Amino acid sequence: MAIERSTYKDHVIKHIYNGLQENRFRAGEKILESHLAKDLGISRAPIREAMADMVSAGLLEYRPQVGNFVAALSAKEIIDSYVARGVLEGFAISQGINNFSNKDLLRLEEMAHQMEQFARQDQRKALIDIGQEFHEELFRHCTNSQVVLFTKQLSLKLHLLFYKHWANVYTPEEIRDRHLEIIAMIRKKDPVKLEQLIRQHYIDTGHKIVEQEN
Amino acid sequence: MAIERSTYKDHVIKHIYNGLQENRFRAGEKILESHLAKDLGISRAPIREAMADMVSAGLLEYRPQVGNFVAALSAKEIIDSYVARGVLEGFAISQGINNFSNKDLLRLEEMAHQMEQFARQDQRKALIDIGQEFHEELFRHCTNSQVVLFTKQLSLKLHLLFYKHWANVYTPEEIRDRHLEIIAMIRKKDPVKLEQLIRQHYIDTGHKIVEQEN
DNA sequence: ACCCCACATAATGTCGACATTCGACAGTTG
DNA sequence: CAACTGTCGAATGTCGACATTATGTGGGGT
């Protein structure tokens, strides 16, 4: 199976990421450069670059002179990642708390209700997509490039876990209420409590995910 | 000039990092793979890997099909980075606020006074070293691997700026007092105010650095 | 039976060369 | 004179092969 055009590295990254999502690469497993090279019909050079990228994104782990392995997150690492995300996202959103118009908030509320519907109908992809959209909307007013960067990194990593376990983490009603709670707190214009709330939200989610992993 | 042994990538990274610190590579400048390869007497492969690493660390910027450039941080990006560091470090230290023994704190206070002395005597390297030690000590009780990782990334990047401007940022007394202030707040066991204080500390520093850059 | 060591295998690390693409300059045209 | 276009040099992207190192295996010794 060959690849079409432009820089190969991005294609390789996508290929591996899809593999992770579809569980074709299992946690802890070693990924051979030569296998990917043969599968994709290209040389090892772009594959090495792609894997190096994914190592820095935390999706793979690298042992010198040995190779790359699918990152096997321990329970603590999963929780740590969710906590870190809560810290960053809590700050980001609280900082822009006054930039949300009533129209923005109404739209967010509508999205929360849509998420409930999708969850109820087991439409995983639609739910994940609108969930991402929701968070992007919350982040829209964060202009701190560094915070945005870190958060995106974490998103990429945690997305895989959430994609796998979402159905067993929250009920449709909980999904709706948890998001509505955040919106309500934005309305109250209390940045400190909002930050706490968002942190707690991610702490809870992290623990729930860990329960599912075991 | 040749390199000695073990995986070349790390040597190359160190070489570039030193070059940045000594200002042999100036901001915005393009770094040619072939030049480094010739200078270090090795092939381009390990150099490409090293540069890719430094891109993900934020020290270099990469434009596909064009090359790698020394990251030219805008004023806003500098401030953003300091703010982000304040957020992370504020959280990390506050979380471990109860793990500091009185002995720890006395040691930290001593370090603050040493920093004042070194600053007064223009001993840049000694000051920077003990400053790093101070922060590592504060971080010692943070077990969140993800937060630690992000903070290290930021450290690496901001270190270069601080190394360049430290002398014009704070007076020796200010350096001492700012650090003592943090220790005093740890003593008060007020995590919320401690977090605020640390954030403010980095916000101030960021602004001072930006003033120096222009 | 267990441990140690040497060897074979296979993967990563590195290399030099080729293919492709970007950026600059010169020449042309309106 | 300005703007566009074609050409050329140089740097990056990719390749296949070789060098080096980790891992597993089997034989020999205790």
Side-chain angles (χ1 to χ4, degrees):
Chain A
M1 168 189 176
I3 277 184
E4 35 189 357
R5 270 216 60 75
S6 98
T7 168
Y8 289 163
K9 188 177 70 171
D10 302 322
H11 290 269
V12 177
I13 291 179
K14 205 170 245 178
H15 178 79
I16 299 177
Y17 194 82
N18 287 338
L20 293 174
Q21 213 167 255
E22 296 163 15
N23 235 17
R24 282 187 294 108
F25 300 121
R26 279 177 297 185
E29 181 181 339
K30 185 174 178 183
I31 299 187
L32 284 299
E33 295 175 358
S34 40
H35 285 187
L36 285 180
K38 212 175 97 181
D39 287 352
L40 300 175
I42 60 180
S43 86
R44 281 171 47 220
I47 290 176
R48 284 175 66 82
E49 301 197 358
M51 294 221 268
D53 265 29
M54 298 185 80
V55 166
S56 73
L59 299 174
L60 301 182
E61 281 168 19
Y62 168 71
R63 288 166 48 194
Q65 323 282 28
V66 178
N68 294 280
F69 299 78
V70 177
L73 296 181
S74 68
K76 173 133 184 28
E77 285 171 324
I78 292 175
I79 290 179
D80 284 355
S81 296
Y82 271 101
V83 168
R85 181 163 182 184
V87 170
L88 290 168
E89 192 156 330
F91 168 78
I93 298 173
S94 298
Q95 203 196 32
I97 196 171
N98 289 313
N99 296 104
F100 290 93
S101 69
N102 189 48
K103 193 177 159 195
D104 291 336
L105 295 172
L106 288 173
R107 183 150 166 270
L108 284 167
E109 278 163 357
E110 194 192 340
M111 288 166 78
H113 285 100
Q114 279 185 24
M115 287 166 76
E116 181 194 1
Q117 293 308 315
F118 287 140
R120 219 181 272 284
Q121 300 160 17
D122 260 31
Q123 300 193 32
R124 170 157 66 172
K125 183 155 183 358
L127 171 64
I128 300 272
D129 284 350
I130 204 169
Q132 194 131 5
E133 203 185 331
F134 185 92
H135 286 278
E136 275 168 21
E137 179 65 23
L138 285 181
F139 249 90
R140 204 160 54 86
H141 300 108
C142 175
T143 62
N144 187 313
S145 53
Q146 190 66 65
V147 170
V148 170
L149 192 70
F150 282 153
T151 305
K152 277 190 181 162
Q153 266 190 40
L154 274 176
S155 259
L156 203 65
K157 187 161 84 171
L158 298 180
H159 190 69
L160 289 174
L161 283 173
F162 193 72
Y163 191 77
K164 194 166 142 198
H165 296 300
W166 70 274
N168 311 99
V169 168
Y170 293 120
T171 66
E173 295 79 27
E174 282 173 335
I175 291 179
R176 179 199 60 202
D177 291 343
R178 289 189 151 261
H179 288 85
L180 287 179
E181 209 177 355
I182 291 174
I183 301 168
M185 191 59 82
I186 295 176
R187 280 221 157 83
K188 285 187 188 159
K189 303 285 181 215
D190 184 336
V192 176
K193 279 196 179 161
L194 176 61
E195 189 165 359
Q196 274 183 327
L197 179 67
I198 292 169
R199 281 189 188 183
Q200 194 57 49
H201 174 78
Y202 279 107
I203 290 173
D204 295 342
T205 304
H207 280 97
K208 294 247 189 189
I209 294 272
V210 165
E211 283 172 27
Q212 289 302 319
E213 280 277 305
N214 304 335
Chain B
M1 166 190 175
I3 277 184
E4 33 189 1
R5 269 219 58 76
S6 97
T7 166
Y8 289 162
K9 188 178 72 170
D10 302 323
H11 290 268
V12 177
I13 290 179
K14 206 169 241 178
H15 179 80
I16 300 178
Y17 194 82
N18 287 340
L20 293 173
Q21 211 165 259
E22 297 162 15
N23 234 20
R24 282 187 292 108
F25 300 120
R26 280 177 296 186
E29 183 181 338
K30 184 174 179 182
I31 299 186
L32 283 300
E33 295 174 358
S34 40
H35 286 186
L36 284 180
K38 212 174 98 182
D39 288 352
L40 300 176
I42 59 180
S43 87
R44 280 172 47 220
I47 290 177
R48 284 174 68 81
E49 300 195 359
M51 295 222 267
D53 266 28
M54 298 185 80
V55 166
S56 73
L59 298 173
L60 301 182
E61 280 167 19
Y62 169 71
R63 288 166 48 195
Q65 323 282 31
V66 178
N68 294 281
F69 300 79
V70 178
L73 297 180
S74 68
K76 173 130 184 31
E77 285 171 324
I78 292 175
I79 291 179
D80 285 354
S81 296
Y82 271 101
V83 169
R85 181 163 181 184
V87 170
L88 290 168
E89 192 156 330
F91 168 78
I93 299 173
S94 299
Q95 204 197 30
I97 195 170
N98 289 313
N99 297 105
F100 290 94
S101 69
N102 188 49
K103 194 177 158 194
D104 291 337
L105 296 171
L106 289 173
R107 182 150 167 270
L108 284 167
E109 278 163 358
E110 194 192 341
M111 288 168 78
H113 285 100
Q114 279 185 27
M115 287 167 76
E116 181 193 3
Q117 293 307 316
F118 287 138
R120 219 182 272 287
Q121 299 161 20
D122 261 31
Q123 299 192 33
R124 169 156 65 171
K125 182 155 183 359
L127 172 64
I128 301 271
D129 283 351
I130 203 169
Q132 194 131 4
E133 204 185 331
F134 185 93
H135 286 279
E136 275 169 20
E137 178 64 24
L138 285 182
F139 249 90
R140 204 160 55 86
H141 301 106
C142 174
T143 62
N144 187 313
S145 53
Q146 190 66 64
V147 169
V148 169
L149 192 71
F150 282 153
T151 306
K152 278 190 181 162
Q153 267 190 39
L154 274 175
S155 257
L156 202 66
K157 187 161 85 171
L158 297 179
H159 191 68
L160 290 173
L161 282 173
F162 194 72
Y163 191 77
K164 195 165 143 198
H165 296 301
W166 70 274
N168 312 100
V169 167
Y170 293 120
T171 67
E173 297 78 27
E174 282 173 335
I175 291 179
R176 181 199 58 202
D177 291 343
R178 288 188 151 261
H179 288 85
L180 288 179
E181 208 177 356
I182 291 174
I183 300 169
M185 192 59 83
I186 293 177
R187 281 220 156 85
K188 285 188 190 160
K189 304 285 182 217
D190 184 337
V192 176
K193 279 196 179 163
L194 176 62
E195 188 164 0
Q196 274 183 328
L197 180 67
I198 292 170
R199 281 189 188 183
Q200 193 57 49
H201 174 77
Y202 278 106
I203 290 172
D204 294 343
T205 304
H207 280 97
K208 295 247 188 191
I209 294 274
V210 165
E211 284 173 26
Q212 290 301 319
E213 281 276 304
N214 303 336

